[in-house]
Amino acid sequence: MTTIYMVRHAESPYTEGTERTRGLTAEGKKKAQEVTKALMTEGINGIVSSPYSRAILTLEELARILKLEIKIYEDLRERQFAGENVYISDDGFMPALQRSFSEPDFSLPGGESNKECQLRAVAVLETILEQFKGMNIALGTHGNIMTLMMNYFDSNYGFDFLTQTRKPDIYKLQIENHKLKEVTRLKIM
């Protein structure tokens, strides 16, 4: 049995144009410490992450304490919703996001569909499952891509699931022979 701890990053200040580099808010930094506490006793053997700073920073203290290197996978980055020059209003974002779950091939101009994003992320997840077979892995991730990876195993993980997740959040996925056996949400104080 391989266990993947999907760790959705802690709260990050949203600033236009800084997807890759934005860090954590003061509250996000406190919550990242709670992520460390929640995972300290889980027997983590490896840590992998999206290349985005907020995902890495959420797991950085855990990696330091456990003396583990965070292995970065570019294809674990968050879904590209639209091209850089495409404006999405606050009122238009949630309907577009919801549509992307009901129509997996839908994408905004310059953006990536859920299907495209899921294919690239699951390819990395399959590699991780092989490389770390029988181990416990913390995976630093984002809401949409986390949902899509979980959806690959179980279609019940969709838009409604995504909208109820928190920042941060931890889902413990127990996977055997590339089949999802159990999902448990870990409590963060």
Side-chain angles (χ1 to χ4, degrees):
M1 183 87 62
T2 304
T3 303
I4 304 284
Y5 294 85
M6 294 280 185
V7 182
R8 184 178 187 194
H9 66 80
E11 185 181 88
S12 178
Y14 182 75
T15 309
E16 193 69 38
T18 60
E19 266 307 281
R20 285 188 171 269
T21 59
R22 68 182 205 236
L24 301 177
T25 63
E27 180 64 20
K29 290 175 184 174
K30 286 182 201 169
K31 291 289 188 178
Q33 291 174 354
E34 293 174 22
V35 167
T36 299
K37 288 176 190 166
L39 293 176
M40 281 295 300
T41 60
E42 295 294 319
I44 301 296
N45 305 105
I47 301 175
V48 299
S49 181
S50 154
Y52 290 10
S53 295
R54 59 195 182 272
I56 296 166
L57 291 170
T58 301
L59 292 173
E60 197 170 59
E61 184 180 1
L62 178 68
R64 183 184 59 75
I65 291 170
L66 297 178
K67 295 180 176 43
L68 294 170
E69 179 182 337
I70 300 175
K71 184 166 180 160
I72 306 300
Y73 287 91
E74 178 63 29
D75 281 345
L76 290 178
R77 69 190 177 278
E78 181 59 295
R79 178 175 161 227
Q80 177 75 34
F81 290 101
E84 289 182 23
N85 298 325
V86 176
Y87 172 75
I88 307 168
S89 69
D90 290 342
D91 291 341
F93 178 75
M94 289 306 277
L97 182 61
Q98 187 170 15
R99 182 176 173 193
S100 71
F101 278 91
S102 62
E103 299 173 37
D105 288 314
F106 166 76
S107 66
L108 293 169
E112 183 177 35
S113 71
N114 269 5
K115 185 176 181 181
E116 292 167 322
C117 181
Q118 186 181 55
L119 284 172
R120 73 167 158 82
V122 167
V124 174
L125 187 57
E126 293 287 346
T127 297
I128 291 166
L129 288 170
E130 286 302 316
Q131 185 177 3
F132 296 99
K133 190 172 186 170
M135 297 182 190
N136 298 336
I137 306 304
L139 191 155
T141 191
H142 309 272
N144 198 162
I145 197 163
M146 175 182 78
T147 302
L148 291 173
M149 285 187 280
M150 294 170 72
N151 174 270
Y152 171 75
F153 293 107
D154 183 341
S155 62
N156 289 316
Y157 294 101
F159 178 76
D160 291 338
F161 169 78
L162 172 59
T163 60
Q164 62 82 41
T165 63
R166 300 174 300 222
K167 294 179 190 172
D169 222 337
I170 305 172
Y171 290 86
K172 177 181 180 179
L173 281 62
Q174 294 182 293
I175 302 168
E176 188 170 34
N177 298 321
H178 298 273
K179 297 207 183 321
L180 185 63
K181 297 297 185 182
E182 186 176 346
V183 176
T184 309
R185 187 182 208 173
L186 268 61
K187 188 171 183 165
I188 302 173
M189 296 299 167

